[in-house]
Coordinates of all heavy atoms in Angstrom, one line a residue:
M1 N 205.9 101.8 110.2 CA 205.4 102.4 109.0 C 203.9 102.4 109.1 O 203.3 101.3 109.4 CB 205.9 101.5 107.8 CG 205.6 102.1 106.5 SD 206.2 101.1 105.1 CE 207.9 101.2 105.3
P2 N 203.2 103.5 108.8 CA 201.8 103.5 108.9 C 201.1 102.6 107.9 O 201.6 102.3 106.8 CB 201.4 105.0 108.5 CG 202.7 105.7 108.7 CD 203.8 104.8 108.5
H3 N 200.0 102.0 108.3 CA 199.2 101.1 107.4 C 198.9 101.7 106.1 O 198.9 101.0 105.1 CB 198.0 100.6 108.2 CG 197.2 99.6 107.4 ND1 197.6 98.3 107.1 CD2 196.0 99.7 106.8 CE1 196.7 97.7 106.4 NE2 195.7 98.5 106.2
R4 N 198.5 103.0 106.1 CA 198.1 103.7 104.9 C 199.3 103.7 103.9 O 199.1 103.5 102.7 CB 197.7 105.1 105.2 CG 197.1 105.9 104.1 CD 196.8 107.3 104.4 NE 198.0 108.1 104.2 CZ 198.7 108.8 105.1 NH1 198.4 108.7 106.3 NH2 199.8 109.4 104.7
V5 N 200.5 103.9 104.4 CA 201.7 103.9 103.5 C 201.9 102.5 102.8 O 202.1 102.4 101.6 CB 202.9 104.4 104.2 CG1 204.1 104.3 103.4 CG2 202.7 105.8 104.7
I6 N 201.8 101.5 103.7 CA 202.0 100.1 103.1 C 200.9 99.8 102.1 O 201.2 99.3 101.0 CB 201.9 99.1 104.3 CG1 203.1 99.3 105.2 CG2 201.9 97.7 103.8 CD1 203.1 98.5 106.5
K7 N 199.7 100.2 102.4 CA 198.6 100.0 101.4 C 198.8 100.7 100.1 O 198.6 100.2 99.0 CB 197.3 100.5 102.1 CG 196.0 100.1 101.3 CD 194.8 100.5 102.0 CE 193.6 100.2 101.2 NZ 192.3 100.5 102.0
D8 N 199.3 102.0 100.2 CA 199.6 102.7 99.0 C 200.7 102.1 98.2 O 200.6 102.0 97.0 CB 199.9 104.2 99.3 CG 198.8 105.0 99.8 OD1 197.6 104.6 99.5 OD2 199.0 106.1 100.3
I9 N 201.7 101.6 98.9 CA 202.9 101.0 98.2 C 202.5 99.7 97.5 O 202.8 99.5 96.3 CB 204.1 100.9 99.2 CG1 204.6 102.2 99.6 CG2 205.2 100.0 98.5 CD1 205.6 102.1 100.7
F10 N 201.9 98.8 98.2 CA 201.7 97.5 97.7 C 200.4 97.3 96.9 O 200.4 96.5 96.0 CB 201.7 96.4 98.9 CG 203.1 96.2 99.4 CD1 203.4 96.7 100.6 CD2 204.0 95.5 98.7 CE1 204.7 96.5 101.2 CE2 205.3 95.3 99.2 CZ 205.6 95.8 100.4
W11 N 199.4 98.0 97.3 CA 198.1 97.7 96.6 C 197.6 98.8 95.6 O 196.8 98.6 94.8 CB 197.0 97.6 97.7 CG 197.2 96.3 98.5 CD1 197.7 96.2 99.7 CD2 197.0 95.0 98.0 NE1 197.8 94.9 100.1 CE2 197.4 94.1 99.1 CE3 196.5 94.4 96.9 CZ2 197.3 92.7 99.0 CZ3 196.4 93.0 96.8 CH2 196.8 92.2 97.9
K12 N 198.2 100.0 95.7 CA 197.7 101.1 94.9 C 198.7 101.6 93.8 O 198.3 102.3 92.9 CB 197.2 102.3 95.7 CG 196.0 101.9 96.5 CD 195.4 103.1 97.2 CE 194.2 102.6 98.0 NZ 193.5 103.7 98.6
S13 N 200.0 101.2 93.9 CA 200.9 101.6 92.9 C 201.1 100.5 91.9 O 200.9 99.3 92.1 CB 202.3 101.8 93.6 OG 202.9 100.6 93.9
P14 N 201.3 100.9 90.6 CA 201.5 99.9 89.6 C 202.6 98.9 89.8 O 202.5 97.8 89.6 CB 201.7 100.8 88.3 CG 201.2 102.1 88.6 CD 201.3 102.3 90.1
D15 N 203.7 99.4 90.4 CA 204.9 98.6 90.7 C 204.5 97.6 91.8 O 204.9 96.4 91.7 CB 206.1 99.4 91.1 CG 206.7 100.2 89.9 OD1 206.5 99.8 88.8 OD2 207.3 101.2 90.2
G16 N 203.8 98.0 92.8 CA 203.4 97.1 93.8 C 202.4 96.1 93.4 O 202.5 94.9 93.8
E17 N 201.5 96.4 92.5 CA 200.5 95.4 92.0 C 201.3 94.4 91.1 O 201.0 93.2 91.2 CB 199.5 96.1 91.1 CG 198.5 96.9 92.0 CD 197.4 97.5 91.2 OE1 197.2 97.3 90.0 OE2 196.6 98.3 91.8
K18 N 202.2 94.8 90.3 CA 203.0 93.9 89.5 C 203.8 93.0 90.4 O 203.9 91.8 90.2 CB 204.0 94.6 88.6 CG 204.8 93.7 87.7 CD 205.8 94.4 86.9 CE 206.6 93.5 86.0 NZ 206.9 92.1 86.5
M19 N 204.4 93.5 91.5 CA 205.1 92.7 92.4 C 204.3 91.6 93.0 O 204.6 90.4 93.1 CB 205.8 93.5 93.5 CG 206.6 92.7 94.4 SD 206.9 93.4 96.0 CE 205.3 93.6 96.7
L20 N 203.0 92.0 93.4 CA 202.1 91.0 94.0 C 201.7 89.9 93.0 O 201.6 88.7 93.3 CB 200.9 91.7 94.6 CG 201.2 92.4 95.9 CD1 200.0 93.2 96.3 CD2 201.6 91.5 97.0
R21 N 201.4 90.4 91.7 CA 201.1 89.4 90.7 C 202.2 88.4 90.5 O 202.0 87.2 90.3 CB 200.7 90.1 89.4 CG 199.3 90.6 89.3 CD 198.9 91.0 87.9 NE 199.8 92.1 87.4 CZ 199.6 93.4 87.6 NH1 198.5 93.8 88.3 NH2 200.4 94.2 87.0
D22 N 203.4 88.9 90.4 CA 204.6 88.0 90.3 C 204.8 87.1 91.5 O 205.1 85.9 91.3 CB 205.9 88.9 90.1 CG 205.9 89.6 88.7 OD1 205.0 89.3 87.9 OD2 206.7 90.6 88.6
L23 N 204.5 87.6 92.6 CA 204.7 86.8 93.9 C 203.7 85.6 93.9 O 204.1 84.5 94.3 CB 204.4 87.7 95.1 CG 204.5 87.1 96.4 CD1 206.0 86.9 96.8 CD2 203.9 88.0 97.5
F24 N 202.5 85.8 93.3 CA 201.5 84.7 93.4 C 201.6 83.8 92.1 O 200.7 82.9 92.0 CB 200.1 85.3 93.5 CG 199.8 85.8 94.9 CD1 199.9 87.1 95.2 CD2 199.4 84.9 95.8 CE1 199.6 87.5 96.5 CE2 199.0 85.3 97.1 CZ 199.2 86.6 97.4
S25 N 202.6 83.9 91.3 CA 202.6 83.1 90.1 C 202.8 81.6 90.4 O 202.2 80.8 89.7 CB 203.7 83.6 89.1 OG 205.0 83.4 89.7
D26 N 203.6 81.3 91.4 CA 203.8 79.9 91.8 C 202.5 79.3 92.4 O 202.1 78.1 92.1 CB 204.9 79.7 92.8 CG 206.3 79.8 92.2 OD1 206.4 79.8 91.0 OD2 207.2 80.0 93.0
V27 N 201.7 80.1 93.1 CA 200.4 79.7 93.7 C 199.4 79.5 92.6 O 198.7 78.5 92.6 CB 199.9 80.7 94.7 CG1 198.6 80.3 95.3 CG2 200.9 80.9 95.8
R28 N 199.4 80.3 91.6 CA 198.5 80.1 90.4 C 198.9 78.8 89.7 O 198.0 78.1 89.3 CB 198.6 81.3 89.4 CG 197.9 82.5 89.9 CD 197.8 83.6 88.8 NE 199.1 84.0 88.3 CZ 199.8 85.0 88.8 NH1 199.3 85.7 89.8 NH2 200.9 85.4 88.3
M29 N 200.2 78.5 89.5 CA 200.6 77.3 88.9 C 200.1 76.1 89.7 O 199.5 75.2 89.1 CB 202.1 77.2 88.8 CG 202.6 75.9 88.2 SD 204.4 75.7 88.3 CE 204.7 75.5 90.1
L30 N 200.2 76.1 91.0 CA 199.7 75.0 91.8 C 198.2 74.9 91.7 O 197.7 73.8 91.6 CB 200.1 75.3 93.3 CG 199.6 74.3 94.3 CD1 200.1 72.9 94.0 CD2 199.9 74.7 95.7
A31 N 197.5 76.0 91.7 CA 196.0 76.0 91.6 C 195.6 75.4 90.3 O 194.6 74.6 90.2 CB 195.5 77.4 91.8
E32 N 196.4 75.7 89.2 CA 196.1 75.2 87.9 C 196.3 73.7 87.9 O 195.5 72.9 87.4 CB 197.0 75.8 86.8 CG 196.6 77.3 86.5 CD 195.5 77.4 85.5 OE1 195.0 76.4 84.9 OE2 195.0 78.5 85.3
D33 N 197.5 73.3 88.5 CA 197.9 71.9 88.4 C 196.9 71.0 89.2 O 196.6 69.8 88.8 CB 199.2 71.7 89.0 CG 200.3 72.2 88.1 OD1 200.0 72.5 86.9 OD2 201.5 72.3 88.6
I34 N 196.3 71.4 90.3 CA 195.4 70.6 91.1 C 193.9 70.8 90.8 O 193.1 70.3 91.4 CB 195.7 70.7 92.6 CG1 195.5 72.1 93.1 CG2 197.1 70.3 92.9 CD1 195.6 72.3 94.6
G35 N 193.7 71.7 89.7 CA 192.3 71.8 89.2 C 191.4 72.8 90.0 O 190.2 72.7 90.0
L36 N 192.1 73.7 90.7 CA 191.3 74.7 91.5 C 190.9 76.0 90.7 O 190.1 76.7 91.2 CB 192.0 75.1 92.8 CG 192.2 74.0 93.8 CD1 193.0 74.6 95.0 CD2 190.8 73.6 94.3
M37 N 191.6 76.2 89.6 CA 191.3 77.4 88.8 C 190.1 77.1 87.9 O 190.2 76.2 87.0 CB 192.5 77.8 88.0 CG 193.6 78.3 88.8 SD 193.2 79.7 89.7 CE 193.8 81.0 88.7
N38 N 189.0 77.8 88.1 CA 187.9 77.7 87.3 C 187.4 79.1 87.0 O 188.0 80.1 87.4 CB 186.8 76.8 87.9 CG 186.4 77.3 89.3 OD1 186.4 78.5 89.6 ND2 186.1 76.4 90.2
R39 N 186.3 79.3 86.4 CA 185.8 80.6 86.1 C 185.6 81.5 87.3 O 186.0 82.7 87.3 CB 184.5 80.5 85.3 CG 184.0 81.9 84.7 CD 182.7 81.7 84.0 NE 182.8 80.7 83.0 CZ 181.8 80.2 82.3 NH1 180.6 80.6 82.6 NH2 182.0 79.3 81.4
T40 N 185.0 80.9 88.3 CA 184.8 81.7 89.6 C 186.1 82.1 90.3 O 186.2 83.2 90.7 CB 183.9 80.9 90.5 OG1 182.7 80.5 89.8 CG2 183.5 81.7 91.7
S41 N 187.0 81.1 90.4 CA 188.2 81.4 91.1 C 189.0 82.5 90.3 O 189.7 83.3 90.9 CB 189.0 80.2 91.4 OG 189.4 79.5 90.2
R42 N 189.0 82.4 89.0 CA 189.7 83.4 88.2 C 189.2 84.8 88.4 O 189.9 85.8 88.5 CB 189.6 83.1 86.7 CG 190.5 81.9 86.3 CD 190.4 81.6 84.8 NE 190.7 80.2 84.5 CZ 191.9 79.7 84.5 NH1 193.0 80.5 84.7 NH2 192.1 78.5 84.2
R43 N 187.9 84.9 88.6 CA 187.3 86.2 88.9 C 187.7 86.7 90.3 O 187.9 87.9 90.4 CB 185.7 86.1 88.9 CG 185.2 86.0 87.5 CD 183.7 85.9 87.5 NE 183.2 85.6 86.2 CZ 181.9 85.2 85.9 NH1 181.1 85.1 86.9 NH2 181.6 85.0 84.7
V44 N 187.8 85.8 91.2 CA 188.3 86.2 92.6 C 189.7 86.7 92.5 O 190.1 87.8 93.0 CB 188.2 85.0 93.6 CG1 188.8 85.4 94.9 CG2 186.7 84.7 93.8
W45 N 190.6 86.0 91.8 CA 192.0 86.4 91.6 C 192.0 87.8 91.0 O 192.8 88.6 91.4 CB 192.8 85.4 90.8 CG 193.1 84.1 91.6 CD1 192.2 83.1 91.9 CD2 194.4 83.7 92.0 NE1 192.9 82.1 92.6 CE2 194.2 82.5 92.7 CE3 195.6 84.3 92.0 CZ2 195.3 81.8 93.2 CZ3 196.7 83.6 92.6 CH2 196.5 82.4 93.2
K46 N 191.2 88.0 90.0 CA 191.2 89.3 89.3 C 190.7 90.4 90.2 O 191.2 91.5 90.2 CB 190.4 89.2 88.0 CG 190.5 90.4 87.1 CD 189.8 90.1 85.8 CE 190.0 91.3 84.9 NZ 191.2 91.3 84.1
A47 N 189.7 90.1 91.0 CA 189.1 91.1 91.9 C 190.2 91.5 92.9 O 190.3 92.7 93.3 CB 187.9 90.6 92.6
L48 N 191.0 90.6 93.3 CA 192.1 90.8 94.3 C 193.3 91.4 93.6 O 194.3 91.8 94.3 CB 192.5 89.5 95.0 CG 191.4 89.0 95.9 CD1 191.9 87.6 96.4 CD2 191.1 89.9 97.1
R49 N 193.3 91.5 92.3 CA 194.4 92.1 91.5 C 195.7 91.3 91.7 O 196.8 91.8 91.7 CB 194.6 93.6 91.8 CG 193.4 94.4 91.3 CD 193.6 95.8 91.6 NE 193.3 96.0 93.0 CZ 193.5 97.2 93.6 NH1 194.0 98.2 93.0 NH2 193.2 97.3 94.9
I50 N 195.5 90.0 91.8 CA 196.7 89.1 91.8 C 196.6 88.0 90.7 O 197.3 87.0 90.8 CB 196.9 88.4 93.2 CG1 195.6 87.6 93.6 CG2 197.2 89.4 94.2 CD1 195.7 86.8 94.9
D51 N 195.8 88.3 89.7 CA 195.7 87.4 88.5 C 196.9 87.6 87.6 O 197.7 88.5 87.8 CB 194.4 87.7 87.8 CG 194.4 89.1 87.2 OD1 194.9 90.0 87.8 OD2 193.8 89.2 86.1
G52 N 197.0 86.7 86.7 CA 198.1 86.7 85.7 C 198.5 85.3 85.2 O 197.7 84.4 85.5
R53 N 199.6 85.3 84.6 CA 200.1 84.0 84.0 C 200.7 83.1 85.1 O 201.5 83.6 85.9 CB 201.1 84.3 82.9 CG 201.6 83.1 82.2 CD 202.7 83.5 81.2 NE 203.9 84.0 81.9 CZ 204.9 83.2 82.4 NH1 204.8 81.9 82.4 NH2 205.9 83.8 82.9
P54 N 200.3 81.9 85.2 CA 201.0 81.0 86.2 C 202.4 80.7 85.7 O 202.8 80.8 84.6 CB 200.1 79.7 86.1 CG 199.4 79.8 84.9 CD 199.3 81.2 84.4
S55 N 203.2 80.4 86.7 CA 204.6 80.0 86.4 C 204.6 78.7 85.6 O 203.8 77.9 85.7 CB 205.4 79.7 87.7 OG 205.5 80.8 88.5
R56 N 205.7 78.6 84.8 CA 205.9 77.3 84.0 C 206.5 76.3 84.9 O 206.3 75.1 84.7 CB 206.7 77.5 82.8 CG 206.0 78.4 81.7 CD 206.9 78.6 80.6 NE 208.1 79.3 81.1 CZ 209.1 79.7 80.3 NH1 209.0 79.5 79.0 NH2 210.1 80.4 80.8
H57 N 207.3 76.7 85.8 CA 207.9 75.8 86.8 C 208.2 76.6 88.1 O 208.2 77.8 88.1 CB 209.3 75.3 86.3 CG 210.2 76.3 85.8 ND1 211.0 77.1 86.6 CD2 210.4 76.8 84.6 CE1 211.7 77.9 85.9 NE2 211.4 77.8 84.7
R58 N 208.3 75.9 89.2 CA 208.5 76.5 90.5 C 209.7 77.4 90.6 O 210.8 77.0 90.2 CB 208.6 75.4 91.6 CG 208.5 76.0 92.9 CD 208.3 74.9 93.9 NE 208.5 75.5 95.3 CZ 209.2 74.9 96.2 NH1 209.8 73.8 96.0 NH2 209.3 75.5 97.4
G59 N 209.5 78.6 91.0 CA 210.6 79.6 91.2 C 211.0 80.3 89.9 O 212.1 80.9 89.9
E60 N 210.2 80.2 88.9 CA 210.5 80.9 87.6 C 210.7 82.4 87.9 O 209.8 83.0 88.5 CB 209.4 80.6 86.6 CG 209.6 81.4 85.3 CD 208.4 81.2 84.4 OE1 207.3 80.9 84.8 OE2 208.6 81.4 83.2
P61 N 211.7 83.0 87.4 CA 211.9 84.4 87.5 C 210.8 85.2 86.8 O 210.3 84.7 85.8 CB 213.2 84.7 86.9 CG 213.9 83.4 86.6 CD 212.8 82.4 86.7
A62 N 210.4 86.3 87.4 CA 209.4 87.1 86.7 C 209.9 87.7 85.4 O 211.0 88.2 85.4 CB 208.9 88.2 87.7
P63 N 209.0 87.7 84.4 CA 209.5 88.3 83.1 C 209.6 89.8 83.3 O 208.9 90.5 84.0 CB 208.4 88.0 82.1 CG 207.2 87.7 83.0 CD 207.7 87.2 84.3
H64 N 210.6 90.4 82.6 CA 210.7 91.9 82.6 C 209.8 92.5 81.6 O 209.7 92.0 80.5 CB 212.2 92.2 82.2 CG 213.2 91.7 83.2 ND1 213.3 92.3 84.5 CD2 214.1 90.7 83.2 CE1 214.2 91.7 85.1 NE2 214.7 90.7 84.4
A65 N 209.1 93.5 82.1 CA 208.2 94.3 81.2 C 209.0 95.2 80.3 O 210.0 95.8 80.7 CB 207.2 95.1 82.0
A66 N 208.6 95.2 79.0 CA 209.3 96.1 78.1 C 208.7 97.5 78.0 O 207.6 97.8 78.4 CB 209.2 95.5 76.7

């Protein structure tokens, strides 16, 4: 699969961006728990478009968008 297609699917489509945000929710929870989330790190997460709500518990299913 060409790199351009993968980039379009995962990084440029709304569904791909949502999938990546959901994928990183456990990592956000860990970063919150150990004190790594601060103003600067939140900006980095947002710039990478993987920001969002942290999980409440490990492996929490992603909420369905209405």
